[in-house]
Amino acid sequence: MNEHELRHLIAKVKRGALSRRGFIQRMVGLGLTAPLASQMLSYSGIAQAQAPSAYKPTKRGGGGALKVLWWQGATLLNPHFAVGTKDQEGSRIFYEPLVGWDNDGNMVPMLAAEIPTLQNGGLARDGKSVIWKLKKGVTWHDGMPFTADDVVFNWEYAADPATSTVSIGSYKDIKVVKLDSHTVRVEFPKPTPFWGDAFCSTRGMLIPKHLFDAYRGAKSRDAPTNLKPVGTGPYKFVDFKPGDMVRGVINTAYHEPNKPHFDSIEMKGGGDAVSAARAVLQTGEFDYAWNMQVEDEILLKLEDSGKGRAIITPGANIEHIQVNNTDPWTEVDGERSSAKTKHPLFGDAAVRRALNVLVDRGSVEKHIYGRTGIATANFLNNPPRFTSKNMKWEFNVDKANQLLDAAGWKRGSDGIRVKDGKKLKLVFQTSVNQPRQKTQAIIKQACQKAGIDLELKAVTAAVYFSSDVANPDTYLKFYTDLQMYTTTMTQPDPEVFMDQFCSWQIASKENKWQGRNPTRWKNDEYDKAWRAAENELDPVKRAALFIRMNDLVIENQVVIPVVYRPRVAAVSNRLRTSLSGWDNDLFNLRDWYREG
């Protein structure tokens, strides 16, 4: 489609001859993402139409207790320190961003009074600023008013390197100006195509200035409210046992009429995915269970009980293996896996390439994940416009042996390969979870045939994904050679998702291991491509940059993708949810209700 044809279609939308949805569907058919198509209309002065709410209750409360299961229990409740999904979800019960993302990639107002557009003056035509009007009459759970001062504070708090937030990447390069008590302007140093990052969705949950102001910078971890949240959300904090239980009670002063439906919420943590699935689908003890990383054969049998169903929501989550770029066995300045070191074995590209063809993705999909995991060669798998067609995966033990033979790795008497006195012995860690242990076993078996000795390590999920900086077994510390987990994409745009390979995101002792890059990989071409995409307004050029980023991490075996995982939740047949593949499961918790 050329520019003339595109302008003609936009003109049809303006005069009502073509619906907004019809335009977006045409663009998606051409490979454009729904959010980008929607953004094109916004820049043309066509406001986003808000999807009608499916919420049916006509009064606040009365729904009893909502019981949800997260088999990885939350460990803290400050969204700026949420290193894993379970902490983001626990925080989302109480805290809200300005907007969330629905499953079509559209913005859903939370604390924003409206979605910024060219038409309402919210978006600057040069792409260098956005004005947010805040919802009035909103109060924090302690009765204090929510104002622009809170928004400005969150920017200052998150952008301060001394605070060591995981959200710093969304805030450090912007400037936030208070225009009045309920209006702020976010200013960007350059034209910014994806302006819906700061204050939006997962990294946009807002904390109250009056309770956190005294805990800026180095004192950030001492704030009592890190464990006792005071937000604006539909439920107020009652109790928190890290790794076990989060409890909330209805916020009777919530800023949405007739919401929420439930009188209380209980988020149970810990256990495993199979028992969580059983508790919803078979026994009916719980209403909802998150992240059903369960063999599909088991899910199908549990659904036969008739009490619940598995809901599969497309997104861009990826189960992958990370290859440590640093030495996890040598301590430098009190830090293992230091960016000052290099891995003693992975410096040999042949070893990394051999590992890549020893991962039998096809068997993992067929025998473990089924409809809940699709074998892939890419790290970035969705939206389609950003998906590379250059990468292919293969499982080939013979090829692995050839690569290692040619590189001079000789088999010893025990069958394990050796070169320059170093044995090909690796420690491969992941969280305790049946599909993950079975995946590990499949890979270990293939590696044995190639003369690589894999020691398998399984860490309890509550420990592996812990936010405790003193814990040596977290995935961000990455004190092993290889590790596997799923990373989530919580926006319908890959900018934040792909910053986890940028050099400035390297996890280290200096940033309390809050950096999003645990592989400690550093590549100038990658950094430059990410910076270019950050400011590229041409959607075609921008997509090409993200495809190149994907290809760089795959070509260099920084990660080895296993399966692309749509989101899978177990849901009671009576529960009505509002789920999105581009945000937290609890992003629109205010709209959940129970029928019958």
Side-chain angles (χ1 to χ4, degrees), residues 36 39-40 43 124-128 190-195 532-543 545:
L36 282 176
Q39 194 175 83
M40 289 167 65
Y43 274 110
R125 289 191 178 275
D126 62 4
K128 295 178 70 173
K190 297 178 181 177
T192 301
F194 185 61
W195 48 267
E534 186 182 28
N535 302 297
E536 180 55 70
L537 295 177
D538 184 314
V540 176
K541 292 179 180 177
R542 191 163 182 268
L545 287 165

Side-chain angles (χ1 to χ4, degrees), residues 415-537:
I416 307 303
R417 292 181 181 270
V418 182
K419 180 180 178 181
D420 299 331
K422 297 175 182 176
K423 278 196 168 187
L424 259 185
K425 299 185 70 172
L426 303 167
V427 178
F428 177 21
Q429 75 174 4
T430 189
S431 66
V432 175
N433 170 270
Q434 194 171 32
R436 285 187 173 141
Q437 270 66 75
K438 288 194 172 185
T439 301
Q440 279 185 312
I442 289 171
I443 297 169
K444 179 181 176 71
Q445 185 178 42
C447 283
Q448 285 176 332
K449 295 176 182 178
I452 300 173
D453 183 21
L454 278 192
E455 176 187 333
L456 304 184
K457 179 179 178 181
V459 183
T460 302
V463 174
Y464 190 51
F465 297 105
S466 171
S467 303
D468 181 4
V469 296
N471 184 343
D473 288 321
T474 64
Y475 76 100
L476 283 172
K477 285 197 173 172
F478 196 1
Y479 287 171
T480 60
D481 304 295
L482 302 166
Q483 68 176 0
M484 179 172 63
Y485 62 93
T486 289
T487 191
T488 59
M489 184 167 158
T490 54
Q491 296 170 325
D493 182 277
E495 184 174 302
V496 175
F497 181 71
M498 294 301 283
D499 82 346
Q500 62 192 283
F501 300 107
C502 294
S503 62
W504 53 86
Q505 286 285 3
I506 286 174
S508 67
K509 182 180 179 181
E510 183 181 6
N511 59 33
K512 297 184 176 70
W513 293 279
Q514 299 298 288
R516 285 166 40 80
N517 180 354
T519 68
R520 280 85 169 175
W521 182 63
K522 182 177 181 179
N523 182 281
D524 289 341
E525 184 183 353
Y526 188 96
D527 286 353
K528 289 176 182 176
W530 192 92
R531 285 297 190 199
E534 186 182 28
N535 302 297
E536 180 55 70
L537 295 177

Side-chain angles (χ1 to χ4, degrees), residues 308-381:
R309 66 228 186 261
I311 294 182
I312 299 175
T313 307
N317 300 349
I318 177 72
E319 180 83 354
H320 67 292
I321 298 165
Q322 294 183 344
V323 178
N324 203 333
N325 193 59
T326 59
D327 187 347
W329 314 112
T330 300
E331 188 173 294
V332 176
D333 299 329
E335 180 180 5
R336 287 163 56 187
S337 288
S338 167
K340 297 175 183 177
T341 66
K342 291 295 180 185
H343 195 279
L345 302 176
F346 294 147
D348 187 338
V351 176
R352 304 194 310 272
R353 290 171 185 157
L355 285 169
N356 190 41
V357 296
L358 289 169
V359 177
D360 188 357
R361 298 161 172 88
S363 290
V364 172
E365 176 186 335
K366 182 178 179 180
H367 300 296
I368 300 175
Y369 286 94
R371 60 191 166 143
T372 70
I374 300 97
T376 181
N378 289 314
F379 186 78
L380 177 55
N381 290 275

Side-chain angles (χ1 to χ4, degrees), residues 79-253:
H80 289 292
F81 299 143
V83 298
T85 307
K86 86 282 188 224
D87 294 331
Q88 297 167 0
E89 298 282 8
S91 298
R92 202 68 178 260
I93 295 173
F94 310 105
Y95 292 117
E96 297 177 296
L98 296 186
V99 298
W101 293 102
D102 71 12
N103 202 40
D104 291 324
N106 295 315
M107 286 182 168
V108 178
M110 301 286 179
L111 292 175
E114 61 184 17
I115 303 300
T117 64
L118 284 177
Q119 196 173 43
N120 63 26
L123 292 181
R125 289 191 178 275
D126 62 4
K128 295 178 70 173
S129 68
V130 56
I131 292 174
W132 289 101
K133 292 183 178 179
L134 311 180
K135 194 171 185 179
K136 294 182 179 178
V138 178
T139 59
W140 296 100
H141 292 156
D142 60 3
M144 293 291 287
F146 163 70
T147 70
D149 291 327
D150 294 300
V151 179
V152 173
F153 167 75
N154 274 261
W155 161 58
E156 295 171 341
Y157 178 91
D160 183 355
T163 308
S164 297
T165 64
V166 296
S167 54
I168 187 172
S170 300
Y171 296 94
K172 64 184 179 64
D173 295 324
I174 65 174
K175 181 181 179 181
V176 181
V177 179
K178 174 183 174 182
L179 301 183
D180 61 39
S181 66
H182 284 79
T183 311
V184 298
R185 182 174 63 242
V186 179
E187 299 175 352
F188 307 106
K190 297 178 181 177
T192 301
F194 185 61
W195 48 267
D197 180 21
F199 309 118
C200 302
S201 185
T202 299
R203 277 159 293 279
M205 285 181 264
L206 293 156
I207 60 176
K209 177 182 179 180
H210 65 281
L211 295 178
F212 284 93
D213 200 16
Y215 298 95
R216 295 175 183 246
K219 296 187 292 183
S220 62
R221 296 285 168 162
D222 301 328
T225 326
N226 287 339
L227 300 177
K228 298 179 179 180
V230 176
T232 60
Y235 298 96
K236 299 170 67 172
F237 175 78
V238 172
D239 187 35
F240 176 41
K241 293 180 175 62
D244 178 27
M245 185 74 73
V246 181
R247 288 190 175 93
V249 68
I250 189 170
N251 176 11
T252 55

Side-chain angles (χ1 to χ4, degrees), residues 59-66 234-236 238 247-252 259-266 592 594:
K59 68 171 185 175
R60 194 191 310 276
L66 174 64
Y235 298 96
K236 299 170 67 172
V238 172
R247 288 190 175 93
V249 68
I250 189 170
N251 176 11
T252 55
K259 299 178 184 180
H261 169 67
F262 295 100
D263 302 304
S264 63
I265 182 170
E266 178 184 290
W592 288 26
R594 184 185 288 120

